[in-house]
């Protein structure tokens, strides 16, 4: 009898770990073409495929595990890999604790879903300074790292809507699936106010290191208004700390975008201005080429002027079309055109 009781109790406890378990995923299939002189290309591409399990246990604990496939499996950076594995204690709205591997708490755009982010890629400044294709040379990490984070919302108004949000975390600083290489941790945090429904204005800070490259000190200033299927978002990011080639110590980037409904929740038009300056300079800086011994310029500005449309056949199937005029001051011929078509689906 005691054994049967113990078994039933153990079974009940185990079930609490798997309450409301959900299997989900999505895929993003892409065609992209550009006419840059000397670098013309057009190709179909598997941008992303993800499969996730998530659930709750004991009401207060949320967990998630997510795998990713993208690009070609010839490259370790784009092979099948674990991107998320974390748990979060969510008993109190104003104080939540998350541990494991998850999105770094830096910028508004970084934690956004790749489909609802709205464009053919994350903005250049987020990609280069939030851990996607980071300027430090850190392996591709989709904006994620291993660590512990505190976050919460508080200061409710009369309608019950919170005015303030905070988040701060301690991370290895090496990206996904890696132990700390230098025993120095990254500290990343953000604070934003929400003065009206749909609006948030935030600031973020990041100090840390990445292996041999050394320190990375970054801040971001962000603003967003998203309501009634309209979206306006802009973010500026500044970096001080060497890039992977030890050629530029400072960088910055800025983007501003609008997504406007033609038919609400069905058909949208959109535009984005997306600027990244690897050396915080429009025309680059002069350095000496280690191979030839001759001077050269590096780190000039790269700017995308983008327009596009998207159409939702259903809430789980979406077609996107974008055109970008690119001005790349790091290239011999600065200007070229780029077209991107994507079919995105969820399940």
């Amino acid at each position: 009898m005691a054994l049967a009781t113990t078994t039933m109790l153990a079974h009940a406890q185990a079930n609490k770990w798997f309450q409301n378990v959900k299997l989900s995923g999505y895929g993003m299939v892409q065609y992209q073409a550009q006419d840059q002189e000397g670098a013309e290309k057009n190709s179909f591409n598997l941008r992303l495929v993800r499969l996730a399990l998530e659930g709750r246990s004991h009401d207060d604990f949320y967990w998630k595990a997510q795998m990713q496939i993208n690009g070609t499996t010839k490259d370790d950076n784009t092979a099948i890999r674990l991107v998320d594995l974390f748990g979060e204690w969510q008993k109190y709205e104003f104080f939540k604790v998350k541990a494991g591997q998850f999105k770094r708490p830096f910028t508004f755009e970084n934690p956004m879903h790749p489909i609802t982010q709205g464009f053919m890629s994350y903005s250049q400044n987020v990609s280069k300074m939030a851990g996607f294709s980071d300027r430090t040379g850190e392996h591709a990490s989709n904006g994620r790292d291993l660590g512990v984070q505190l976050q919460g919302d508080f200061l409710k108004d009369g309608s019950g809507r919170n005015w303030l949000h905070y988040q701060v975390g301690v991370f290895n600083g090496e990206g996904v699936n890696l132990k700390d290489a230098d025993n120095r941790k990254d500290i990343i945090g953000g604070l934003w106010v929400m003065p009206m429904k749909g609006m948030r204005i935030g600031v973020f800070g990041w100090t840390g290191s990445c292996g041999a490259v050394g320190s990375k000190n970054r801040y971001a200033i962000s603003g967003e208004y998203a309501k009634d299927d309209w979206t306006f978002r802009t973010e500026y990011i500044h970096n001080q700390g060497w890039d992977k080639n030890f050629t530029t110590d400072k960088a910055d980037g800025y983007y501003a975008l609008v997504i406007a409904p033609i038919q609400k929740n069905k058909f949208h038009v959109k535009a984005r201005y997306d600027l990244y300056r690897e050396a915080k300079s429009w025309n680059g800086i002069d350095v000496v080429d280690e191979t030839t011994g001759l001077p050269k310029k590096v780190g000039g500005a790269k700017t995308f002027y983008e327009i596009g449309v998207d159409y939702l056949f259903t809430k789980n199937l979406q077609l996107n079309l974008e055109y970008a005029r690119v001005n790349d001051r790091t290239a011999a011929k600065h200007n070229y055109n780029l077209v991107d078509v994507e079919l995105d689906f969820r399940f």
Side-chain angles (χ1 to χ4, degrees):
M1 182 65 179
L3 179 60
T5 302
T6 302
T7 301
M8 286 188 293
L9 288 173
H11 182 68
Q13 290 294 322
N15 284 339
K16 286 185 178 181
W17 281 94
F18 294 97
Q19 292 176 9
N20 306 314
V21 172
K22 178 183 176 183
L23 172 66
S24 64
Y26 62 91
M28 307 177 76
V29 181
Q30 179 184 54
Y31 171 80
Q32 195 170 90
Q34 68 177 43
D35 64 358
Q36 183 180 14
E37 187 172 324
E40 297 87 351
K41 59 184 178 181
N42 70 88
S43 180
F44 293 102
N45 178 47
L46 181 61
R47 181 180 165 189
L48 275 180
V49 174
R50 284 187 179 160
L51 188 66
L53 274 177
E54 58 188 313
R56 307 193 70 85
S57 73
H58 304 276
D59 298 323
D60 301 328
F61 189 81
Y62 169 77
W63 60 268
K64 183 174 183 178
Q66 183 169 219
M67 302 294 296
Q68 172 177 302
I69 309 169
N70 68 305
T72 169
T73 54
K74 291 181 180 179
D75 185 342
D76 287 342
N77 279 339
T78 55
I80 300 172
R81 65 185 185 275
L82 179 71
V83 289
D84 288 298
L85 181 62
F86 66 84
E88 184 174 42
W89 183 62
Q90 300 179 335
K91 184 176 179 64
Y92 302 108
E93 186 178 24
F94 62 88
F95 184 78
K96 301 176 182 179
V97 184
K98 182 187 290 187
Q101 181 166 285
F102 50 90
K103 284 282 192 176
R104 289 162 162 149
F106 190 70
T107 77
F108 286 161
E109 187 166 278
N110 180 27
M112 290 182 178
H113 192 287
I115 296 177
T116 55
Q117 178 273 139
F119 287 80
M120 61 183 171
S121 64
Y122 289 86
S123 57
Q124 293 181 92
N125 58 356
V126 171
S127 178
K128 293 293 185 180
M129 293 183 283
F132 287 79
S133 178
D134 204 278
R135 69 190 303 274
T136 60
E138 167 192 297
H139 73 142
S141 296
N142 300 98
R144 292 165 165 85
D145 205 347
L146 279 155
V148 178
Q149 174 180 294
L150 307 178
Q151 66 177 340
D153 298 279
F154 60 101
L155 199 60
K156 291 182 183 295
D157 64 12
S159 68
R161 183 179 57 82
N162 288 298
W163 274 64
L164 287 176
H165 173 87
Y166 74 92
Q167 53 192 38
V168 61
V170 180
F171 301 88
N172 280 343
E174 306 297 330
V176 295
N177 305 322
L178 288 178
K179 294 181 179 180
D180 199 335
D182 58 11
N183 295 320
R184 295 179 293 174
K185 299 296 183 284
D186 285 16
I187 300 174
I188 309 172
L191 177 71
W192 63 76
V193 297
M194 297 168 282
M196 58 187 294
K197 187 176 181 179
M199 178 180 286
R200 52 181 179 161
I201 303 168
V203 293
F204 300 84
W206 179 345
T207 183
S209 62
C210 182
V213 174
S215 65
K216 48 187 174 187
N217 298 294
R218 299 168 177 174
Y219 68 82
I221 303 171
S222 308
E224 182 184 59
Y225 180 74
K227 188 179 178 182
D228 296 329
D229 210 26
W230 284 81
T231 300
F232 300 89
R233 188 168 68 251
T234 182
E235 298 193 274
Y236 172 79
I237 307 176
H238 180 275
N239 172 89
Q240 183 166 12
W242 292 103
D243 67 353
K244 61 182 178 182
N245 297 315
F246 294 92
T247 54
T248 62
D249 181 42
K250 291 184 180 179
D252 69 353
Y254 168 80
Y255 76 85
L257 64 83
V258 58
I259 303 173
I262 300 300
Q263 183 179 355
K264 190 174 181 181
N265 299 320
K266 191 77 174 178
F267 180 35
H268 304 85
V269 294
K270 52 195 174 184
R272 178 170 70 172
Y273 173 83
D274 181 7
L275 165 70
Y276 176 64
R277 303 192 301 172
E278 176 65 24
K280 200 181 177 183
S281 167
W282 288 101
N283 295 311
I285 60 174
D286 294 315
V287 300
V288 176
D289 191 305
E290 293 183 358
T291 303
T292 65
L294 299 174
K296 66 176 183 178
K297 282 193 177 292
V298 299
K302 187 174 184 179
T303 309
F304 287 75
Y305 303 89
E306 301 171 57
I307 57 173
V309 297
D310 63 56
Y311 185 82
L312 285 75
F313 298 99
T314 71
K315 66 178 182 179
N316 293 323
L317 182 64
Q318 177 176 325
L319 181 65
N320 311 275
L321 173 63
E322 287 185 52
Y323 165 78
R325 180 66 172 174
V326 184
N327 178 263
D328 185 354
R329 301 193 187 191
T330 66
K333 297 291 185 179
H334 294 343
N335 299 308
Y336 62 92
N337 303 294
L338 186 151
V339 173
D340 182 273
V341 183
E342 292 188 19
L343 183 66
D344 304 332
F345 59 90
R346 312 181 196 221
F347 58 89

